[in-house]
Amino acid sequence: YKPTTSPTVAPTTSPSFSLLDPPQLKTCMFSNDGSYIIIAFDISTNRGNFGRTHPCAQLFSFPGDVNALCVWQDQTSVRVYPTGNGAQSSAAANLIDIGDGIAVKDNILRAKCPALASADECSMWLTASDISCTLSAPLAPVSPVVSISAPSVVSQCKSYVLDITASSGSGGRAWSRQVINVSSVSQSNTSLVF
């Protein structure tokens, strides 16, 4: 009788991942219609361990950040909607504009942890600190489009309402000025009374 030996299996270990540098800002730019801002990083991020959507003030610092909503498009880019989170504060009039700075808050954002790496290993990676960019104008800005809807006939003693809410191109902000000039082609005073 000859004893058999069972085959030995080499122990397996998790692959080791070298330390990844923290993400750096690549782009901070208004969208073409001005309704949101695009922030792009040079590598995939952990999104600061926030969900896909969160108040921007949790991760970024810029004028009006308390009113802004951040929506991640993927691990490298986020859209900032300047008035998107519904918060009302004294900073509502202080919205971000071209030339303003956008800073990533220190000690929050890291490179994305690979699927096979351990959370402990990734937690040792450096976080982004002291990184910022200047908000630039859109590449191909869209001109505003005014759309007015109004009744063609109004009965006597009724208000004549001009609705401009379908207008677009305000950049997600209130229109800076709204002026409507009314004139009549009729010589009769009875056809146009306001």
Side-chain angles (χ1 to χ4, degrees), residues 34-81:
S35 63
Y36 61 89
I37 296 160
I38 303 156
I39 298 176
F41 293 91
D42 62 342
I43 61 172
S44 291
T45 72
N46 69 347
R47 299 192 309 208
N49 291 323
F50 296 114
R52 182 173 177 266
T53 301
H54 61 86
C56 290
Q58 292 177 327
L59 182 59
F60 298 102
S61 179
F62 54 83
D65 57 6
V66 296
N67 296 310
L69 180 68
C70 281
V71 180
W72 288 86
Q73 302 305 295
D74 51 38
Q75 298 299 123
T76 60
S77 64
V78 61
R79 285 185 179 181
V80 174
Y81 294 91

Side-chain angles (χ1 to χ4, degrees), residues 105-184:
K105 291 188 175 178
D106 292 348
N107 305 317
I108 299 174
L109 192 68
R110 286 187 168 91
K112 180 183 178 188
C113 191
L116 296 176
S118 72
D120 289 340
E121 187 173 11
C122 294
S123 69
M124 294 185 299
W125 294 354
L126 297 174
T127 56
S129 63
D130 197 32
I131 62 170
S132 63
C133 63
T134 301
L135 182 59
S136 61
L139 291 176
V142 176
S143 296
V145 175
V146 177
S147 175
I148 300 174
S149 124
S152 58
V153 177
V154 179
S155 62
Q156 202 171 15
C157 298
K158 289 282 186 177
S159 297
Y160 190 74
V161 177
L162 298 174
D163 182 3
I164 62 168
T165 57
S167 298
S168 62
S170 68
R173 301 157 190 248
W175 293 98
S176 61
R177 214 171 127 210
Q178 300 172 20
V179 177
I180 298 174
N181 292 317
V182 179
S183 60
S184 171

